[in-house]
Amino acid sequence: MSETTSGGAPGTSLVDLSGLRVFVGGPIQYALGHDSFHPPLRDTIQAIVTAVTEAGATVFSAHVVERFGRDTPHFSPEDVSARDLDWMRRCDVFVPVLPADDGGGVMRTDGTHIEMGWASALGRPIVMVTPLPVPAGASHLLRGLPSVADVGGVDLAELRRDGPGELLLRLGKVGRDAVVTP
């Protein structure tokens, strides 16, 4: 399992996420093109994983473990389900990255939506990285989730433009109240 930690790096020193366990999720299957992973999504997830790790948190990421889809065929559905549920049980905060699709909703990501259900059921805070407001074409359950779970958001366009600073600040606030004891 890929669990990434680091001592910190320039640009993240103002936010200390030491001790926090962050599960970063998002599309894999539907982000794979003919010859590569969706480049803007890959760049965004890599930036988030790097920044959160450099701020001292432990990061759980199927994107890292599966090398952005290159190694996905080496994992059985049972392995992925068991691994991701274990990560959800162990994490303090779930960060799903949900980019817009061409139809006015969010990119299809069945697994991430299941993980959001797990996070809600387990009482884990969710900090979505997605266009804000959540696209009108997104499902009712996704748009209504904040009414039944601890859900916040960081605007995807702002994160891509300004970097992950706002996400790190949000994780610092949300995470300190949510640290789960093993």
PDB file of all heavy atoms in Angstrom, residues 59-96:
ATOM      1  N   VAL A  59      -0.762  10.193   3.104  1.00  0.00           N
ATOM      2  CA  VAL A  59      -1.723  10.199   2.008  1.00  0.00           C
ATOM      3  C   VAL A  59      -1.961   8.774   1.528  1.00  0.00           C
ATOM      4  O   VAL A  59      -1.017   8.027   1.283  1.00  0.00           O
ATOM      5  CB  VAL A  59      -1.219  11.072   0.833  1.00  0.00           C
ATOM      6  CG1 VAL A  59      -2.139  10.936  -0.376  1.00  0.00           C
ATOM      7  CG2 VAL A  59      -1.113  12.532   1.257  1.00  0.00           C
ATOM      8  N   PHE A  60      -3.238   8.424   1.388  1.00  0.00           N
ATOM      9  CA  PHE A  60      -3.654   7.172   0.766  1.00  0.00           C
ATOM     10  C   PHE A  60      -4.165   7.543  -0.625  1.00  0.00           C
ATOM     11  O   PHE A  60      -5.049   8.397  -0.741  1.00  0.00           O
ATOM     12  CB  PHE A  60      -4.773   6.494   1.554  1.00  0.00           C
ATOM     13  CG  PHE A  60      -4.472   6.276   3.015  1.00  0.00           C
ATOM     14  CD1 PHE A  60      -5.321   6.769   3.994  1.00  0.00           C
ATOM     15  CD2 PHE A  60      -3.356   5.558   3.426  1.00  0.00           C
ATOM     16  CE1 PHE A  60      -5.070   6.557   5.343  1.00  0.00           C
ATOM     17  CE2 PHE A  60      -3.089   5.338   4.775  1.00  0.00           C
ATOM     18  CZ  PHE A  60      -3.949   5.836   5.732  1.00  0.00           C
ATOM     19  N   SER A  61      -3.639   6.908  -1.668  1.00  0.00           N
ATOM     20  CA  SER A  61      -4.042   7.273  -3.024  1.00  0.00           C
ATOM     21  C   SER A  61      -3.925   6.097  -3.977  1.00  0.00           C
ATOM     22  O   SER A  61      -2.822   5.602  -4.229  1.00  0.00           O
ATOM     23  CB  SER A  61      -3.168   8.421  -3.547  1.00  0.00           C
ATOM     24  OG  SER A  61      -3.378   8.622  -4.926  1.00  0.00           O
ATOM     25  N   ALA A  62      -5.050   5.678  -4.530  1.00  0.00           N
ATOM     26  CA  ALA A  62      -5.035   4.637  -5.557  1.00  0.00           C
ATOM     27  C   ALA A  62      -4.337   5.141  -6.813  1.00  0.00           C
ATOM     28  O   ALA A  62      -3.711   4.361  -7.533  1.00  0.00           O
ATOM     29  CB  ALA A  62      -6.463   4.200  -5.888  1.00  0.00           C
ATOM     30  N   HIS A  63      -4.413   6.441  -7.073  1.00  0.00           N
ATOM     31  CA  HIS A  63      -3.741   6.997  -8.243  1.00  0.00           C
ATOM     32  C   HIS A  63      -2.241   6.761  -8.159  1.00  0.00           C
ATOM     33  O   HIS A  63      -1.604   6.415  -9.147  1.00  0.00           O
ATOM     34  CB  HIS A  63      -4.051   8.488  -8.383  1.00  0.00           C
ATOM     35  CG  HIS A  63      -5.491   8.751  -8.636  1.00  0.00           C
ATOM     36  ND1 HIS A  63      -6.391   8.919  -7.607  1.00  0.00           N
ATOM     37  CD2 HIS A  63      -6.190   8.852  -9.786  1.00  0.00           C
ATOM     38  CE1 HIS A  63      -7.583   9.113  -8.111  1.00  0.00           C
ATOM     39  NE2 HIS A  63      -7.498   9.080  -9.437  1.00  0.00           N
ATOM     40  N   VAL A  64      -1.680   6.938  -6.967  1.00  0.00           N
ATOM     41  CA  VAL A  64      -0.246   6.708  -6.771  1.00  0.00           C
ATOM     42  C   VAL A  64       0.061   5.215  -6.856  1.00  0.00           C
ATOM     43  O   VAL A  64       0.952   4.788  -7.590  1.00  0.00           O
ATOM     44  CB  VAL A  64       0.230   7.304  -5.427  1.00  0.00           C
ATOM     45  CG1 VAL A  64       1.671   6.906  -5.134  1.00  0.00           C
ATOM     46  CG2 VAL A  64       0.077   8.823  -5.437  1.00  0.00           C
ATOM     47  N   VAL A  65      -0.687   4.410  -6.108  1.00  0.00           N
ATOM     48  CA  VAL A  65      -0.445   2.961  -6.078  1.00  0.00           C
ATOM     49  C   VAL A  65      -0.588   2.349  -7.466  1.00  0.00           C
ATOM     50  O   VAL A  65       0.223   1.513  -7.869  1.00  0.00           O
ATOM     51  CB  VAL A  65      -1.408   2.267  -5.082  1.00  0.00           C
ATOM     52  CG1 VAL A  65      -1.347   0.757  -5.213  1.00  0.00           C
ATOM     53  CG2 VAL A  65      -1.102   2.691  -3.663  1.00  0.00           C
ATOM     54  N   GLU A  66      -1.605   2.776  -8.195  1.00  0.00           N
ATOM     55  CA  GLU A  66      -1.883   2.193  -9.509  1.00  0.00           C
ATOM     56  C   GLU A  66      -1.218   2.969 -10.645  1.00  0.00           C
ATOM     57  O   GLU A  66      -1.476   2.696 -11.815  1.00  0.00           O
ATOM     58  CB  GLU A  66      -3.394   2.104  -9.716  1.00  0.00           C
ATOM     59  CG  GLU A  66      -4.066   1.194  -8.707  1.00  0.00           C
ATOM     60  CD  GLU A  66      -5.580   1.167  -8.818  1.00  0.00           C
ATOM     61  OE1 GLU A  66      -6.119   1.484  -9.914  1.00  0.00           O
ATOM     62  OE2 GLU A  66      -6.239   0.832  -7.812  1.00  0.00           O
ATOM     63  N   ARG A  67      -0.355   3.897 -10.288  1.00  0.00           N
ATOM     64  CA  ARG A  67       0.393   4.700 -11.261  1.00  0.00           C
ATOM     65  C   ARG A  67      -0.534   5.276 -12.338  1.00  0.00           C
ATOM     66  O   ARG A  67      -0.316   5.134 -13.514  1.00  0.00           O
ATOM     67  CB  ARG A  67       1.540   3.896 -11.869  1.00  0.00           C
ATOM     68  CG  ARG A  67       2.564   3.510 -10.814  1.00  0.00           C
ATOM     69  CD  ARG A  67       3.780   2.769 -11.311  1.00  0.00           C
ATOM     70  NE  ARG A  67       3.597   2.027 -12.542  1.00  0.00           N
ATOM     71  CZ  ARG A  67       4.455   2.069 -13.573  1.00  0.00           C
ATOM     72  NH1 ARG A  67       5.531   2.786 -13.517  1.00  0.00           N
ATOM     73  NH2 ARG A  67       4.218   1.333 -14.650  1.00  0.00           N
ATOM     74  N   PHE A  68      -1.556   5.966 -11.844  1.00  0.00           N
ATOM     75  CA  PHE A  68      -2.527   6.643 -12.704  1.00  0.00           C
ATOM     76  C   PHE A  68      -3.058   5.733 -13.809  1.00  0.00           C
ATOM     77  O   PHE A  68      -3.151   6.110 -14.960  1.00  0.00           O
ATOM     78  CB  PHE A  68      -1.939   7.942 -13.265  1.00  0.00           C
ATOM     79  CG  PHE A  68      -1.828   9.015 -12.219  1.00  0.00           C
ATOM     80  CD1 PHE A  68      -0.685   9.118 -11.445  1.00  0.00           C
ATOM     81  CD2 PHE A  68      -2.871   9.890 -11.997  1.00  0.00           C
ATOM     82  CE1 PHE A  68      -0.592  10.088 -10.455  1.00  0.00           C
ATOM     83  CE2 PHE A  68      -2.787  10.862 -11.014  1.00  0.00           C
ATOM     84  CZ  PHE A  68      -1.647  10.960 -10.243  1.00  0.00           C
ATOM     85  N   GLY A  69      -3.435   4.520 -13.396  1.00  0.00           N
ATOM     86  CA  GLY A  69      -4.090   3.579 -14.289  1.00  0.00           C
ATOM     87  C   GLY A  69      -3.172   2.594 -14.992  1.00  0.00           C
ATOM     88  O   GLY A  69      -3.638   1.573 -15.490  1.00  0.00           O
ATOM     89  N   ARG A  70      -1.883   2.878 -15.020  1.00  0.00           N
ATOM     90  CA  ARG A  70      -0.973   1.955 -15.721  1.00  0.00           C
ATOM     91  C   ARG A  70      -0.955   0.580 -15.073  1.00  0.00           C
ATOM     92  O   ARG A  70      -0.835  -0.430 -15.755  1.00  0.00           O
ATOM     93  CB  ARG A  70       0.443   2.526 -15.766  1.00  0.00           C
ATOM     94  CG  ARG A  70       0.593   3.652 -16.773  1.00  0.00           C
ATOM     95  CD  ARG A  70       2.037   4.073 -16.881  1.00  0.00           C
ATOM     96  NE  ARG A  70       2.516   4.510 -15.574  1.00  0.00           N
ATOM     97  CZ  ARG A  70       3.112   5.657 -15.332  1.00  0.00           C
ATOM     98  NH1 ARG A  70       3.373   6.483 -16.315  1.00  0.00           N
ATOM     99  NH2 ARG A  70       3.485   5.984 -14.120  1.00  0.00           N
ATOM    100  N   ASP A  71      -1.043   0.535 -13.728  1.00  0.00           N
ATOM    101  CA  ASP A  71      -0.994  -0.738 -13.021  1.00  0.00           C
ATOM    102  C   ASP A  71      -2.363  -1.241 -12.576  1.00  0.00           C
ATOM    103  O   ASP A  71      -2.459  -2.290 -11.942  1.00  0.00           O
ATOM    104  CB  ASP A  71      -0.078  -0.627 -11.794  1.00  0.00           C
ATOM    105  CG  ASP A  71       1.387  -0.499 -12.176  1.00  0.00           C
ATOM    106  OD1 ASP A  71       1.731  -0.746 -13.348  1.00  0.00           O
ATOM    107  OD2 ASP A  71       2.196  -0.141 -11.296  1.00  0.00           O
ATOM    108  N   THR A  72      -3.427  -0.529 -12.906  1.00  0.00           N
ATOM    109  CA  THR A  72      -4.770  -0.930 -12.495  1.00  0.00           C
ATOM    110  C   THR A  72      -5.105  -2.360 -12.896  1.00  0.00           C
ATOM    111  O   THR A  72      -5.696  -3.097 -12.091  1.00  0.00           O
ATOM    112  CB  THR A  72      -5.812   0.073 -13.026  1.00  0.00           C
ATOM    113  OG1 THR A  72      -5.520   1.363 -12.477  1.00  0.00           O
ATOM    114  CG2 THR A  72      -7.225  -0.334 -12.657  1.00  0.00           C
ATOM    115  N   PRO A  73      -4.706  -2.827 -14.092  1.00  0.00           N
ATOM    116  CA  PRO A  73      -5.031  -4.215 -14.458  1.00  0.00           C
ATOM    117  C   PRO A  73      -4.406  -5.266 -13.535  1.00  0.00           C
ATOM    118  O   PRO A  73      -4.848  -6.407 -13.518  1.00  0.00           O
ATOM    119  CB  PRO A  73      -4.473  -4.350 -15.881  1.00  0.00           C
ATOM    120  CG  PRO A  73      -4.435  -2.960 -16.412  1.00  0.00           C
ATOM    121  CD  PRO A  73      -4.116  -2.097 -15.225  1.00  0.00           C
ATOM    122  N   HIS A  74      -3.415  -4.888 -12.754  1.00  0.00           N
ATOM    123  CA  HIS A  74      -2.755  -5.833 -11.841  1.00  0.00           C
ATOM    124  C   HIS A  74      -3.520  -6.011 -10.529  1.00  0.00           C
ATOM    125  O   HIS A  74      -3.125  -6.816  -9.689  1.00  0.00           O
ATOM    126  CB  HIS A  74      -1.327  -5.392 -11.549  1.00  0.00           C
ATOM    127  CG  HIS A  74      -0.476  -5.265 -12.766  1.00  0.00           C
ATOM    128  ND1 HIS A  74      -0.144  -6.331 -13.579  1.00  0.00           N
ATOM    129  CD2 HIS A  74       0.088  -4.174 -13.329  1.00  0.00           C
ATOM    130  CE1 HIS A  74       0.601  -5.905 -14.572  1.00  0.00           C
ATOM    131  NE2 HIS A  74       0.760  -4.598 -14.456  1.00  0.00           N
ATOM    132  N   PHE A  75      -4.588  -5.233 -10.338  1.00  0.00           N
ATOM    133  CA  PHE A  75      -5.371  -5.289  -9.106  1.00  0.00           C
ATOM    134  C   PHE A  75      -6.748  -5.853  -9.402  1.00  0.00           C
ATOM    135  O   PHE A  75      -7.426  -5.393 -10.319  1.00  0.00           O
ATOM    136  CB  PHE A  75      -5.522  -3.883  -8.499  1.00  0.00           C
ATOM    137  CG  PHE A  75      -4.235  -3.284  -8.027  1.00  0.00           C
ATOM    138  CD1 PHE A  75      -3.419  -2.564  -8.891  1.00  0.00           C
ATOM    139  CD2 PHE A  75      -3.835  -3.440  -6.709  1.00  0.00           C
ATOM    140  CE1 PHE A  75      -2.234  -2.009  -8.462  1.00  0.00           C
ATOM    141  CE2 PHE A  75      -2.644  -2.881  -6.266  1.00  0.00           C
ATOM    142  CZ  PHE A  75      -1.840  -2.171  -7.141  1.00  0.00           C
ATOM    143  N   SER A  76      -7.174  -6.817  -8.595  1.00  0.00           N
ATOM    144  CA  SER A  76      -8.517  -7.366  -8.775  1.00  0.00           C
ATOM    145  C   SER A  76      -9.544  -6.409  -8.164  1.00  0.00           C
ATOM    146  O   SER A  76      -9.206  -5.603  -7.283  1.00  0.00           O
ATOM    147  CB  SER A  76      -8.626  -8.728  -8.088  1.00  0.00           C
ATOM    148  OG  SER A  76      -8.667  -8.568  -6.684  1.00  0.00           O
ATOM    149  N   PRO A  77     -10.801  -6.498  -8.612  1.00  0.00           N
ATOM    150  CA  PRO A  77     -11.839  -5.680  -7.987  1.00  0.00           C
ATOM    151  C   PRO A  77     -11.926  -5.916  -6.477  1.00  0.00           C
ATOM    152  O   PRO A  77     -12.151  -4.978  -5.703  1.00  0.00           O
ATOM    153  CB  PRO A  77     -13.121  -6.123  -8.692  1.00  0.00           C
ATOM    154  CG  PRO A  77     -12.655  -6.608 -10.028  1.00  0.00           C
ATOM    155  CD  PRO A  77     -11.319  -7.257  -9.756  1.00  0.00           C
ATOM    156  N   GLU A  78     -11.709  -7.158  -6.061  1.00  0.00           N
ATOM    157  CA  GLU A  78     -11.762  -7.469  -4.623  1.00  0.00           C
ATOM    158  C   GLU A  78     -10.616  -6.779  -3.876  1.00  0.00           C
ATOM    159  O   GLU A  78     -10.810  -6.257  -2.772  1.00  0.00           O
ATOM    160  CB  GLU A  78     -11.702  -8.985  -4.409  1.00  0.00           C
ATOM    161  CG  GLU A  78     -12.903  -9.734  -4.969  1.00  0.00           C
ATOM    162  CD  GLU A  78     -12.866  -9.974  -6.485  1.00  0.00           C
ATOM    163  OE1 GLU A  78     -11.819  -9.743  -7.137  1.00  0.00           O
ATOM    164  OE2 GLU A  78     -13.913 -10.390  -7.018  1.00  0.00           O
ATOM    165  N   ASP A  79      -9.424  -6.790  -4.473  1.00  0.00           N
ATOM    166  CA  ASP A  79      -8.274  -6.117  -3.853  1.00  0.00           C
ATOM    167  C   ASP A  79      -8.518  -4.620  -3.713  1.00  0.00           C
ATOM    168  O   ASP A  79      -8.235  -4.025  -2.670  1.00  0.00           O
ATOM    169  CB  ASP A  79      -6.996  -6.331  -4.683  1.00  0.00           C
ATOM    170  CG  ASP A  79      -6.503  -7.760  -4.675  1.00  0.00           C
ATOM    171  OD1 ASP A  79      -6.868  -8.533  -3.755  1.00  0.00           O
ATOM    172  OD2 ASP A  79      -5.744  -8.115  -5.614  1.00  0.00           O
ATOM    173  N   VAL A  80      -9.016  -4.002  -4.773  1.00  0.00           N
ATOM    174  CA  VAL A  80      -9.262  -2.557  -4.755  1.00  0.00           C
ATOM    175  C   VAL A  80     -10.324  -2.218  -3.709  1.00  0.00           C
ATOM    176  O   VAL A  80     -10.166  -1.265  -2.926  1.00  0.00           O
ATOM    177  CB  VAL A  80      -9.678  -2.058  -6.161  1.00  0.00           C
ATOM    178  CG1 VAL A  80     -10.197  -0.626  -6.105  1.00  0.00           C
ATOM    179  CG2 VAL A  80      -8.501  -2.174  -7.125  1.00  0.00           C
ATOM    180  N   SER A  81     -11.395  -2.996  -3.666  1.00  0.00           N
ATOM    181  CA  SER A  81     -12.467  -2.732  -2.694  1.00  0.00           C
ATOM    182  C   SER A  81     -11.961  -2.857  -1.267  1.00  0.00           C
ATOM    183  O   SER A  81     -12.234  -1.980  -0.425  1.00  0.00           O
ATOM    184  CB  SER A  81     -13.636  -3.691  -2.917  1.00  0.00           C
ATOM    185  OG  SER A  81     -14.221  -3.466  -4.175  1.00  0.00           O
ATOM    186  N   ALA A  82     -11.223  -3.920  -0.973  1.00  0.00           N
ATOM    187  CA  ALA A  82     -10.698  -4.122   0.390  1.00  0.00           C
ATOM    188  C   ALA A  82      -9.699  -3.033   0.759  1.00  0.00           C
ATOM    189  O   ALA A  82      -9.734  -2.490   1.868  1.00  0.00           O
ATOM    190  CB  ALA A  82     -10.061  -5.506   0.508  1.00  0.00           C
ATOM    191  N   ARG A  83      -8.802  -2.711  -0.170  1.00  0.00           N
ATOM    192  CA  ARG A  83      -7.790  -1.678   0.092  1.00  0.00           C
ATOM    193  C   ARG A  83      -8.440  -0.328   0.355  1.00  0.00           C
ATOM    194  O   ARG A  83      -8.134   0.355   1.338  1.00  0.00           O
ATOM    195  CB  ARG A  83      -6.849  -1.575  -1.112  1.00  0.00           C
ATOM    196  CG  ARG A  83      -5.800  -0.472  -0.973  1.00  0.00           C
ATOM    197  CD  ARG A  83      -5.183  -0.104  -2.307  1.00  0.00           C
ATOM    198  NE  ARG A  83      -6.149   0.544  -3.189  1.00  0.00           N
ATOM    199  CZ  ARG A  83      -6.052   0.566  -4.512  1.00  0.00           C
ATOM    200  NH1 ARG A  83      -5.034  -0.036  -5.122  1.00  0.00           N
ATOM    201  NH2 ARG A  83      -6.968   1.186  -5.234  1.00  0.00           N
ATOM    202  N   ASP A  84      -9.354   0.085  -0.521  1.00  0.00           N
ATOM    203  CA  ASP A  84      -9.950   1.406  -0.393  1.00  0.00           C
ATOM    204  C   ASP A  84     -10.835   1.517   0.850  1.00  0.00           C
ATOM    205  O   ASP A  84     -10.853   2.558   1.508  1.00  0.00           O
ATOM    206  CB  ASP A  84     -10.726   1.778  -1.659  1.00  0.00           C
ATOM    207  CG  ASP A  84      -9.810   2.079  -2.836  1.00  0.00           C
ATOM    208  OD1 ASP A  84      -8.589   1.825  -2.741  1.00  0.00           O
ATOM    209  OD2 ASP A  84     -10.320   2.563  -3.861  1.00  0.00           O
ATOM    210  N   LEU A  85     -11.556   0.459   1.193  1.00  0.00           N
ATOM    211  CA  LEU A  85     -12.348   0.489   2.422  1.00  0.00           C
ATOM    212  C   LEU A  85     -11.436   0.571   3.642  1.00  0.00           C
ATOM    213  O   LEU A  85     -11.717   1.315   4.588  1.00  0.00           O
ATOM    214  CB  LEU A  85     -13.276  -0.719   2.516  1.00  0.00           C
ATOM    215  CG  LEU A  85     -14.173  -0.772   3.753  1.00  0.00           C
ATOM    216  CD1 LEU A  85     -15.049   0.474   3.891  1.00  0.00           C
ATOM    217  CD2 LEU A  85     -15.035  -2.035   3.719  1.00  0.00           C
ATOM    218  N   ASP A  86     -10.324  -0.147   3.616  1.00  0.00           N
ATOM    219  CA  ASP A  86      -9.352  -0.049   4.707  1.00  0.00           C
ATOM    220  C   ASP A  86      -8.823   1.376   4.837  1.00  0.00           C
ATOM    221  O   ASP A  86      -8.747   1.922   5.936  1.00  0.00           O
ATOM    222  CB  ASP A  86      -8.195  -1.029   4.476  1.00  0.00           C
ATOM    223  CG  ASP A  86      -7.122  -0.911   5.538  1.00  0.00           C
ATOM    224  OD1 ASP A  86      -7.431  -1.150   6.734  1.00  0.00           O
ATOM    225  OD2 ASP A  86      -5.973  -0.555   5.185  1.00  0.00           O
ATOM    226  N   TRP A  87      -8.468   1.983   3.715  1.00  0.00           N
ATOM    227  CA  TRP A  87      -7.991   3.365   3.750  1.00  0.00           C
ATOM    228  C   TRP A  87      -9.057   4.300   4.300  1.00  0.00           C
ATOM    229  O   TRP A  87      -8.750   5.201   5.076  1.00  0.00           O
ATOM    230  CB  TRP A  87      -7.588   3.829   2.359  1.00  0.00           C
ATOM    231  CG  TRP A  87      -6.275   3.301   1.863  1.00  0.00           C
ATOM    232  CD1 TRP A  87      -5.301   2.662   2.574  1.00  0.00           C
ATOM    233  CD2 TRP A  87      -5.796   3.366   0.519  1.00  0.00           C
ATOM    234  NE1 TRP A  87      -4.251   2.341   1.747  1.00  0.00           N
ATOM    235  CE2 TRP A  87      -4.531   2.758   0.482  1.00  0.00           C
ATOM    236  CE3 TRP A  87      -6.323   3.881  -0.665  1.00  0.00           C
ATOM    237  CZ2 TRP A  87      -3.775   2.662  -0.679  1.00  0.00           C
ATOM    238  CZ3 TRP A  87      -5.576   3.777  -1.823  1.00  0.00           C
ATOM    239  CH2 TRP A  87      -4.307   3.179  -1.828  1.00  0.00           C
ATOM    240  N   MET A  88     -10.313   4.084   3.911  1.00  0.00           N
ATOM    241  CA  MET A  88     -11.381   4.960   4.399  1.00  0.00           C
ATOM    242  C   MET A  88     -11.544   4.812   5.908  1.00  0.00           C
ATOM    243  O   MET A  88     -11.745   5.795   6.611  1.00  0.00           O
ATOM    244  CB  MET A  88     -12.698   4.652   3.679  1.00  0.00           C
ATOM    245  CG  MET A  88     -13.784   5.669   3.976  1.00  0.00           C
ATOM    246  SD  MET A  88     -13.351   7.356   3.467  1.00  0.00           S
ATOM    247  CE  MET A  88     -13.399   7.169   1.684  1.00  0.00           C
ATOM    248  N   ARG A  89     -11.445   3.597   6.390  1.00  0.00           N
ATOM    249  CA  ARG A  89     -11.556   3.387   7.840  1.00  0.00           C
ATOM    250  C   ARG A  89     -10.399   4.046   8.586  1.00  0.00           C
ATOM    251  O   ARG A  89     -10.551   4.475   9.716  1.00  0.00           O
ATOM    252  CB  ARG A  89     -11.597   1.897   8.150  1.00  0.00           C
ATOM    253  CG  ARG A  89     -12.907   1.239   7.773  1.00  0.00           C
ATOM    254  CD  ARG A  89     -12.898  -0.244   8.094  1.00  0.00           C
ATOM    255  NE  ARG A  89     -14.208  -0.826   7.896  1.00  0.00           N
ATOM    256  CZ  ARG A  89     -14.415  -2.030   7.404  1.00  0.00           C
ATOM    257  NH1 ARG A  89     -13.391  -2.815   7.059  1.00  0.00           N
ATOM    258  NH2 ARG A  89     -15.639  -2.479   7.250  1.00  0.00           N
ATOM    259  N   ARG A  90      -9.226   4.103   7.967  1.00  0.00           N
ATOM    260  CA  ARG A  90      -8.024   4.636   8.616  1.00  0.00           C
ATOM    261  C   ARG A  90      -7.821   6.129   8.420  1.00  0.00           C
ATOM    262  O   ARG A  90      -7.071   6.750   9.162  1.00  0.00           O
ATOM    263  CB  ARG A  90      -6.801   3.888   8.101  1.00  0.00           C
ATOM    264  CG  ARG A  90      -6.809   2.412   8.521  1.00  0.00           C
ATOM    265  CD  ARG A  90      -5.729   1.586   7.860  1.00  0.00           C
ATOM    266  NE  ARG A  90      -4.423   2.200   7.966  1.00  0.00           N
ATOM    267  CZ  ARG A  90      -3.441   2.000   7.091  1.00  0.00           C
ATOM    268  NH1 ARG A  90      -3.609   1.210   6.060  1.00  0.00           N
ATOM    269  NH2 ARG A  90      -2.284   2.594   7.250  1.00  0.00           N
ATOM    270  N   CYS A  91      -8.494   6.722   7.426  1.00  0.00           N
ATOM    271  CA  CYS A  91      -8.248   8.137   7.148  1.00  0.00           C
ATOM    272  C   CYS A  91      -9.008   9.026   8.128  1.00  0.00           C
ATOM    273  O   CYS A  91      -9.947   8.603   8.797  1.00  0.00           O
ATOM    274  CB  CYS A  91      -8.623   8.488   5.707  1.00  0.00           C
ATOM    275  SG  CYS A  91     -10.385   8.730   5.372  1.00  0.00           S
ATOM    276  N   ASP A  92      -8.546  10.275   8.178  1.00  0.00           N
ATOM    277  CA  ASP A  92      -9.223  11.299   8.977  1.00  0.00           C
ATOM    278  C   ASP A  92     -10.107  12.183   8.107  1.00  0.00           C
ATOM    279  O   ASP A  92     -11.095  12.731   8.585  1.00  0.00           O
ATOM    280  CB  ASP A  92      -8.190  12.176   9.690  1.00  0.00           C
ATOM    281  CG  ASP A  92      -7.290  11.364  10.605  1.00  0.00           C
ATOM    282  OD1 ASP A  92      -7.820  10.680  11.503  1.00  0.00           O
ATOM    283  OD2 ASP A  92      -6.055  11.408  10.415  1.00  0.00           O
ATOM    284  N   VAL A  93      -9.720  12.351   6.852  1.00  0.00           N
ATOM    285  CA  VAL A  93     -10.426  13.225   5.911  1.00  0.00           C
ATOM    286  C   VAL A  93     -10.371  12.582   4.528  1.00  0.00           C
ATOM    287  O   VAL A  93      -9.329  12.049   4.131  1.00  0.00           O
ATOM    288  CB  VAL A  93      -9.767  14.621   5.840  1.00  0.00           C
ATOM    289  CG1 VAL A  93     -10.527  15.532   4.890  1.00  0.00           C
ATOM    290  CG2 VAL A  93      -9.659  15.259   7.207  1.00  0.00           C
ATOM    291  N   PHE A  94     -11.472  12.671   3.784  1.00  0.00           N
ATOM    292  CA  PHE A  94     -11.517  12.186   2.409  1.00  0.00           C
ATOM    293  C   PHE A  94     -11.550  13.387   1.474  1.00  0.00           C
ATOM    294  O   PHE A  94     -12.351  14.303   1.660  1.00  0.00           O
ATOM    295  CB  PHE A  94     -12.750  11.311   2.182  1.00  0.00           C
ATOM    296  CG  PHE A  94     -12.856  10.747   0.790  1.00  0.00           C
ATOM    297  CD1 PHE A  94     -11.779  10.100   0.193  1.00  0.00           C
ATOM    298  CD2 PHE A  94     -14.030  10.850   0.073  1.00  0.00           C
ATOM    299  CE1 PHE A  94     -11.869   9.576  -1.096  1.00  0.00           C
ATOM    300  CE2 PHE A  94     -14.144  10.323  -1.206  1.00  0.00           C
ATOM    301  CZ  PHE A  94     -13.056   9.682  -1.790  1.00  0.00           C
ATOM    302  N   VAL A  95     -10.674  13.378   0.461  1.00  0.00           N
ATOM    303  CA  VAL A  95     -10.592  14.454  -0.525  1.00  0.00           C
ATOM    304  C   VAL A  95     -10.854  13.871  -1.917  1.00  0.00           C
ATOM    305  O   VAL A  95      -9.931  13.385  -2.571  1.00  0.00           O
ATOM    306  CB  VAL A  95      -9.214  15.153  -0.492  1.00  0.00           C
ATOM    307  CG1 VAL A  95      -9.136  16.232  -1.570  1.00  0.00           C
ATOM    308  CG2 VAL A  95      -8.930  15.744   0.886  1.00  0.00           C
ATOM    309  N   PRO A  96     -12.114  13.875  -2.364  1.00  0.00           N
ATOM    310  CA  PRO A  96     -12.404  13.430  -3.721  1.00  0.00           C
ATOM    311  C   PRO A  96     -12.197  14.581  -4.710  1.00  0.00           C
ATOM    312  O   PRO A  96     -12.635  15.705  -4.466  1.00  0.00           O
ATOM    313  CB  PRO A  96     -13.880  13.029  -3.653  1.00  0.00           C
ATOM    314  CG  PRO A  96     -14.452  13.888  -2.575  1.00  0.00           C
ATOM    315  CD  PRO A  96     -13.335  14.130  -1.589  1.00  0.00           C
TER     316      PRO A  96
END
